[in-house]
Each structure stands twice: as structure tokens, then as C-alpha cells.
Amino acid sequence: MTKPSLDIRSSRSNRKKNLAFQKSPKKAAGAKVNGSMVAANKGTTGKSVNKNLSAFKGLDKSTVLYMHSMMVKSRVLEERLIKIYRAGESYFWIGGPGEEAFGVPLGMLVNKGQGLAHDFLHLHYRCTPTLIAMGLTMVDAIRLMMNRATDPSTGGRNFSGHYCFPKWNVAPVTSPIEVQYPIACGTAHAQKRSGHQSLTVVTGGDAGTAEGDFASSLILASRKGSELPLLMTVQNNKWGISTSFDGQHGEKFIADRAKAFQIKARVMNGNDPIESYLCIKEDMEYIRKTGKPAFIEALVSRLYGHSSASGANPVEGEVDPVKVFEEKILREDLLTANEVKEIWRAFEEEGMKASEQARTEPVPQSSSVWDHTYVGSENADWRKF
Amino acid sequence: MANMAQAIRMALHYGESKLGVKDIFGQDVGAPLGGVFTATQGLKTAWNAPLDERGIIGMAMGIAMAGDRCVAEIQFCDYIFNTIDLLKIAGNTHWVTNGNYSLPMVVMTPVGAGIRGSIYHSHSFDAWASRLAGWKVVMPSNPLDAYGLMISAIQDPNPVLFMKPKALMRVRGEELIPGEPADERELKNMIDAPIGDRSKWKAKWPALTDYTVPIGQGKITRSGDQLTLVSYGRMLLLCNEVADLMKEQGASVEVIDLRSIYPYDWQMIKTSVMKTGRVLFVNEDTEVTNFGEHLVYRCVQELFYHLLARPQVLAGKHVPGIGLHPNLEDASVPQKHEIIELVKSILDEVP
């Protein structure tokens, strides 16, 4: 199967616009993580570049604005996916609205690439923000949502949010929760042996920590003398489908379980992208330096319920991390209201065009059902051997 | 001649020294024990995992995902059941990612009765394993095949389940493994860990060479033209004995050692059954939705007009466990006299 070359971000019209807010700060000349080097993005807003950055704990302007734009992009994409579901163009939606303030910084900080020299990611099905920050295009997420043959993750075989990108060491997202935790120990084990300072990231929700696989990973990651370079995160939104965390968990914090295994662990506000960025960065540096695991319990929101199975309707009373961060950016004069509006509009347009594109693309054919049962699909159909 | 435990050990050594295997792990797999059946003694990449089957399988999947080769062990297949969804995921990863990821990994586990192992050291897993699409599944009946199948499993780009018939682990073969010294005592001195302190012991490996048994290829162990007996693992040896006995009584029984449960050598079965017109499938997993039933189904579908008698399955009784007392175990899994009786009745059946 030939993968279509369409990439909304690199289409002619968007190249002309060259939206500065989509540029990764890592690639912007002069950008670095402190308040003094933001000249590269000086023209983005036309405002004084060093103004009020203390509110962002030393992160430079380009990083802050990129973070915001990726959070918006992820949110717009997820809401686009919900619309696709509601329009009857997909069978199921599950995703990550509410996890942008943790997921985006995580995606910004990984050492992205393929092979043992780069970080591996074993993500849960609310990981769209992380992948958007890593470069996921809207059209590829929509191809997955619409079960297109062109879907690069599964070829139309799996649900939305179940991404898989070998080019970035992104392991396939699974529907069974928590299985990714012991699997992540395997990639971390191989990374440690390779001698690189790469690490494995594994993410999941709070409800899944009730599974035995969570305990398995705590044990495997912390074996004395064989500790693994593993960043374990739990995005605690206090819900497991319709069941409240409070009625099921006796522990005060999930992170306390990691502490029992001598794993560096913390609880943080996952609705604050600045705090997320700094915590993840510090823990990644610790892991790369020591080869030992670290654990983050990020307290986050769940804005549209569990999935389309529960309606995918907005949930009242949850903190919206995108809005809160945006208000802060406006308050601190990093962007004007019109500039914010333009960011949302541009991503809405990108989402619309991506939907239109995916809609025209082919779906999997019945004859492909045996493909990839085995490598090379040898002996896949027993009737033929 | 090497026994099966030694043969597997030598294949694993060949794997770690020639085929890039970097991890051989599981409960008690590393030093000092080297496996409950000694199949992993002296291996440089063997290590002990926590007593956690899901952790072992999960870790093997991750190692494979990272591009490294590993062989993981579940100490007895009786304890593999809590990993069934991980096995399912390992089997569907290549498919559901549309070919993005493959998981070249080997899981080995002792199976079957025959050692008076009671309810949790006597299970079979071949029927269960045959339902794990995406996995290849093998079970040897002799040391040379164990060596060749293990090397094939390590080289395969798919997940492979290597089932070790535990009652045959000390049974010696009739053919030398390529590179194996002819003197059993010499081999023992080279690769069997000593009793007592093993902290300074190192195996001295013979100059082993590549030898593979292709996955999916069966072997005719007895030629005949009146009835086909199809089996694998421990039951294969009983089938051979029955064929020899029947030969003395004037009946000609062909025995097929399937060696691979999936993919299986249908062409070999088909050719034989078209010749004999009578077939019996023998294995010791429980009888309801048994793998042999699938083979009977296929015989009926594809060879119906060649059949001279009803194709049959002799399998373990559909009881919850294998009882410890010999009377209970023997009543639960196929016995030689049962095979003989059934072979005779099939031969006597008039179409």
C-alpha cells in the first residue's frame, strides 16, 4: 500500500502562511529554555519579547507559544474527531481532551526518532496531545478515525487514538489497559543494554493502575542493579469509565506505590503545562543520567467523558487546561485576543481540510483481511496450506 | 546422545552465540539453577526474572519491539494462562499495526502430563495455542527436532511458542545433534552443571552447527498404508510403539509427527489419509474444542470421499485437572492401550 503524501502542514497554501506558532522551539534559532533568548520569535506577536515571562517559570516565549499552539491543535483535532463520529463517519471515538497540558510538554521533550538511540513511547489512548507535539498531522489522526486504508497506524483496523509510529518509536496503543507498562520495561531493558542515554516513556490512566501489570512494571523497573531508564506516568483524571477513583482506591496518591520501590516519584498538576514541562524535563534528565526510573502522577481533567460510548459530551466542572493557559498568555500579553483567535481558526481550517482529504481516500478491502497475520503473511489462511 | 534438555540448551547456546539472542529469561532460568529441567544451564545471556508471568511475557514483547531477540520461559504451561491476553496482543501486533511492528520472540514452556505433576504441572496448551492467530506453535518429540525447531523459532520473524513435552526432557534421541560428541559422558561433562557449588563453573560448548527443522513441516516416523496416526510431543512416542505393535500383528500403520501445530503440515496429512483412508489424531490436551477436532473437520471437508472410516480424535478427558494419583492421571490423558483399542476399531470399521 502506498502512503499518500498529503501533509496539511506542508501544503502550498499553508507554506505561504508559514504559521509561526506551529514552529517547534527546538528548531527556532536562539530559542532555549530560559527567558533571555526569544529573539527568534520576536516577530510572532509584535510585542516586547521579555515581558512577563516570569509567570512562565523561566521558559522562553517561543517554548510557551509553541506549547500553547500544540495544545490548541490537539484540542481542535479531538473536537474534529468527535464531530466526525457524530456525523456518522466513524464508529467510535476515544481521545485526550483534558490531557493537553501534560501530553504536549511530554511530546516536546522526547528524543524523537527510530531505534535504540531514541526514546520509546508506550502510550495510552488519550495520547493525541503528545503525538501532536511530536509532529502527528491532523490528516493521519483523521485517517485512523475514519478507518481509511491510508491510516499509517493501523490501515483502518483499529479505533481512534490507537496510534503506532515506528519512525518515532511509538509502540502500538492497545485497548487493554496497562499492558503497555510491562512491555515498556522490555524496550527500556534493550535501551539500557545498548548504552545510549535514551529512555522509555509509558503512560496510562489512574483506573488502569488496579491491573496487575502496573505492579509488574514497578517491580521490573526497580530490580536492584538492573533498574530501567523508564519514565512512568499516570494521568489521573479520577475516573475509570463511569467509576470514580475515590470509591476504588485506598491509597492517597498512586505515586506512593512507586515510592515503595525506591522509584523517584512525584504528584503534580497536569493541568499546568509549565509545571508539566519542568517536571518531565527534570525527570528525563534524572533518568538519562542515572539509568533509573522515575514516576509522575499528573492530576488532569477528562473533558468529554470516557469515549463516544458515554456520549462524548462536554463535562461540567472540569478545569479546561487549554483555556486556563490561554487566559494566562493573554493576561501576560504574550498574545492578543485576535492572535489567539487566528490560531484557533487556522487549526479549524486545517482540520476541515484534513477531513475532506481523508473522506476521499480508500478504505481497506475485504481481500486484505489476511495481510500481516504473519510477517510476509505466509501461511495466514489455513485453507491454503 | 543428548537428551531433550541438553538439545534445547545447545540450541539456545547456538542462538546466543550465532543468531543474536540477547536475553534468555524466566523464573529460575539463570544461574544457579539453569531452569527447572536444566535446559538453560551455562548460557551467558540467561537471567532470572521475578516470579511474574505477565511481567515475563510483557518484557519479551518489549525486547522484541526494540529489535532485540529473546527467548522467554514460563516455567510450566499451567502458569501461562494468566498471560493469555498478552499472548493475544503479541499475536495481533503485526496485524493490527498493518505490518508496522513485528515481534520476533520465542516463548518456551513445558507441557503435558507424564511426570505425576498433579493439577498444576500437567496441563497441556496445544489446543489453546492453536487459537492464537499470529503465533507459530511447535512441539518436538525428540532431541534433534527440539534442537532444529528451537533454531527455526529463534530465526523466525514472528512470535513462536515452543512447547517442551516435560516427560521427554530426559529422553535421549537416536540421532546426534550436529557437532555433538558421540560420547554421552563427554557431553555431560561439557555442558551439565555440577552438583553443588556452580559459581565458578562454565559450560564448554561443542562446536555446534546450524540445523533447522522448518516450522510447518511434519515427519513420517513409521510408514504404513492402512491407517494414519497423527500426533506430536509425548504422545508421538506412544503412537510409534503402537505402530510397531500393530506391525507385529499384521497391520500397517503410518505415523506422522506433526512437530508444528501451527502452521501444520496439511499436505503430509492429506497425502497419507488419501492413501490409508483411516485416521486417528492423538494428543493429550482436553477433548472439547481440541486441535485434533479441527484436523478431523478438515479431513471431513476435504477428504470425505477418500475416507473408509470415521476420522477420530483421542485426547485428554474434559475434566478440570490432572489428578495426582496415577489412577487419576492415567484416566485423564490417552494411554497406549487406548490408542491400540481405537486403532483396532478404526481398522475394523467397514465403510
Side-chain angles (χ1 to χ4, degrees), chain A residues 1 115-116 120 122 149 151-158 164-172 174 176 179 182-187 189-191 193 212-213 215-217 219-220 223 228 368-385, chain B residues 22-23 45 47-50 52 54-69 85-86 89 91-103 132-137 156-159 215-216 261-267 294 297-298 302:
Chain A
M1 182 178 65
L116 291 170
F120 272 86
H122 300 259
D151 151 34
S153 292
T154 79
R157 292 178 169 191
N158 211 346
C164 164
F165 293 104
K167 64 181 178 181
W168 298 333
N169 282 346
V170 174
T174 61
V179 297
I183 296 172
C185 293
T187 53
H189 172 77
Q191 285 172 310
R193 174 168 48 217
D213 291 332
S216 290
S217 67
I219 291 168
L220 286 168
R223 296 163 65 227
L228 298 177
S368 72
V369 70
W370 294 100
D371 291 354
H372 309 299
T373 303
Y374 293 93
V375 174
S377 279
E378 46 171 326
N379 301 314
D381 184 354
W382 57 270
R383 295 164 189 83
K384 295 177 181 172
F385 63 72
Chain B
K22 292 184 177 175
D23 294 282
T45 61
W47 54 275
N48 292 320
D52 174 15
R54 292 185 65 82
I56 291 167
I57 298 297
M59 193 148 200
M61 292 166 67
I63 291 169
M65 204 170 277
D68 285 350
R69 295 269 172 167
D85 66 318
L86 285 169
I89 292 168
N92 71 31
T93 292
H94 190 63
W95 186 88
V96 80
T97 64
N98 209 24
N100 275 326
Y101 275 103
S102 57
L103 293 182
L132 292 169
W135 280 81
K136 295 186 179 180
V137 184
D156 202 280
N158 298 284
I215 295 175
I261 282 99
Y262 208 93
Y264 56 88
D265 196 340
W266 173 246
Q267 293 306 320
H294 165 72
Y297 166 81
R298 196 162 180 188
E302 297 186 28

Side-chain angles (χ1 to χ4, degrees), chain B residues 97-324:
Chain B
T97 64
N98 209 24
N100 275 326
Y101 275 103
S102 57
L103 293 182
M105 55 188 268
V106 180
V107 173
M108 58 181 184
T109 188
V111 298
I115 64 164
R116 307 305 181 203
S118 187
I119 186 168
Y120 272 99
H121 300 81
S122 302
H123 269 292
S124 291
F125 197 65
D126 44 293
W128 301 83
S130 69
R131 294 186 52 75
L132 292 169
W135 280 81
K136 295 186 179 180
V137 184
V138 301
M139 189 182 338
S141 67
N142 62 73
L144 182 61
D145 282 354
Y147 183 82
L149 282 171
M150 179 58 81
I151 290 176
S152 290
I154 290 168
Q155 292 175 326
D156 202 280
N158 298 284
V160 180
L161 182 66
F162 184 100
M163 292 187 288
K164 302 188 282 192
K166 67 174 80 80
L168 302 186
M169 293 295 277
R170 297 284 173 267
V171 175
R172 298 191 183 281
E174 297 173 349
E175 298 171 274
L176 279 175
I177 288 164
E180 174 193 350
D183 184 349
E184 284 174 16
R185 287 169 302 177
E186 185 183 351
L187 179 67
K188 179 179 171 58
N189 289 336
M190 291 173 78
I191 69 168
D192 282 7
I195 304 296
D197 181 19
R198 299 168 170 180
S199 58
K200 292 174 183 158
W201 173 77
K202 283 187 180 176
K204 293 172 186 164
W205 298 101
L208 299 164
T209 56
D210 191 50
Y211 173 80
T212 56
V213 172
I215 295 175
Q217 193 172 100
K219 183 180 180 183
I220 294 174
T221 57
R222 297 290 187 275
S223 294
D225 56 18
Q226 291 181 297
L227 182 143
T228 304
L229 265 176
V230 182
S231 191
Y232 41 81
R234 182 171 76 102
M235 291 291 124
L236 190 278
L237 272 61
L238 295 181
C239 290
N240 282 341
E241 291 176 17
V242 170
D244 293 342
L245 188 71
M246 296 306 295
K247 189 175 182 181
E248 291 171 9
Q249 297 179 13
S252 175
V253 174
E254 184 149 285
V255 180
I256 293 175
D257 184 354
L258 211 49
R259 304 196 290 194
S260 294
I261 282 99
Y262 208 93
Y264 56 88
D265 196 340
W266 173 246
Q267 293 306 320
M268 183 173 281
I269 297 171
K270 180 180 177 182
T271 302
S272 180
V273 175
M274 286 175 71
K275 176 176 64 177
T276 64
R278 302 170 196 269
V279 61
L280 171 62
F281 299 95
V282 182
N283 66 68
E284 58 181 311
D285 207 340
T286 49
E287 59 199 343
V288 177
T289 61
N290 182 279
F291 175 60
E293 292 183 333
H294 165 72
L295 298 175
V296 164
Y297 166 81
R298 196 162 180 188
C299 285
V300 170
Q301 292 298 312
E302 297 186 28
L303 305 173
F304 185 75
Y305 296 107
H306 296 275
L307 294 174
L308 301 172
R310 294 166 296 154
Q312 296 201 43
V313 176
L314 179 61
K317 301 294 188 297
H318 189 61
V319 291
I322 309 287
L324 177 56

Side-chain angles (χ1 to χ4, degrees), chain A residues 3 25 27-28 33 66 90 105 151 171-173 238 277 285 287 326:
Chain A
K3 184 178 153 189
K27 293 169 187 167
V33 187
Y66 180 75
S90 181
D151 151 34
V173 174
K238 297 280 185 182
Y277 188 96
E285 287 170 355
I287 295 166
E326 199 162 273

